[in-house]
Every structure is written in C-alpha cells, then in structure tokens.
Amino acid sequence: MTNANSLSTSWSDLEYGVMHGLRDWALASDELNRHLSVWMRLPSSDAEALGQIVWAAQAEAPLSPVELARQIGMTSGAVSVLIDRLERAGYVTRHREDADRRRVTVRPTSAALDETERFLGFAGAEVAGAVRETPADELRVVHAFLARMTAAAAAANARLRESPRGD
C-alpha cells in the first residue's frame, strides 16, 4: 500500500483530470441508475440490484444473494427482502444451481431483460457508442487501468471492513 493521501498529494494536471473523470463517471452512472429506477417503477436500491443481477447474468456469472448484498452494500437480510420484492414484481427468480444444489443464485426474468434492454436502447446508446468507437489499443489501456483502480479500491474496502475507523 502506497502511503499517499489523495487530498495532500501533489497531482499533475493529467492525474487530477483522471481522478475527476472517474468521479464524474461514477456520478453520471449513479444518475443513470436513478433513471432506471423510474423507468422500471422500482425503488432505487431495487433498480441498482436488478442492474447488478442483469449484468451478472449477461456475463454468465449469476449472483448469489450474499454476493449481491456485498456488491450493493446491504445486509443479507435486507437483500432477501429486496429479492422478494423483485420476485413479486416479476423481475427475478431464485435458482438452485445444478453443480451445487446448496448454491442459490438470482437470475433476471425475460420481462426484466426485455425492459432493461428497452431502457438501454433508449438511454444507453451514447455510452455504448463511446465504448464501440474507442480504438482497441485505447480500450486495452483503459481496461488495465480500471482493473488496477478496482483492485486498489477493493484493497481499501477490505482494510476498512477490518478496521472501519483505521484503529
């Protein structure tokens, strides 16, 4: 771990721009999730969870309720109630996995996939276009950078879970 305090460290203009760009992307992405909640007529926490469930299913890596809870920062009990709401709305189902019947995953229904596809068709064209129009060599650099940033944030989060106040 590098001992750099991001508030007192001297940043180059490029580094400063990158950090602000990451923040701006996080804020814009959060706003898109809020729009998804309105679109799907769901509370924002449910829409965020549904988005995670859909992306995981698209990656053929369905989430367990515990994994979902960790990703969205909720307790397992709160996520169980949230999943119940999404099931009643017709957006998800719970599945027992074939390889390990003890493992339960949450998967989107076809209605959820259809509606999120409709949302992304209306609201995701610019984001998809930005990715598709970026040359492969730039995407590889960005991908590697984001992997390092994700690993750094994951390490900080793990440290904070162990010692929330740095004690």
Side-chain angles (χ1 to χ4, degrees), residues 140-152:
R140 280 189 283 281
V141 170
V142 170
H143 186 263
F145 171 73
L146 290 174
R148 286 192 303 277
M149 291 300 288
T150 300

Side-chain angles (χ1 to χ4, degrees), residues 61-65 67 93-97 103-107:
L63 297 172
S64 71
E67 293 164 331
T93 57
R94 287 178 171 99
H95 289 267
R96 293 226 176 257
E97 294 302 307
R103 178 169 157 75
V104 174
T105 58
V106 183
R107 296 175 187 261

Side-chain angles (χ1 to χ4, degrees), residues 14 22 41-43 64 81 91 124 143 145 167:
L14 181 58
L22 288 169
R41 296 178 178 90
L42 292 170
S64 71
V81 171
Y91 289 136
H143 186 263
F145 171 73
D167 301 331

Side-chain angles (χ1 to χ4, degrees), residues 125-147:
E126 294 87 349
V127 173
V131 172
R132 301 292 256 174
E133 293 166 6
T134 302
D137 58 330
E138 285 183 39
L139 287 176
R140 280 189 283 281
V141 170
V142 170
H143 186 263
F145 171 73
L146 290 174

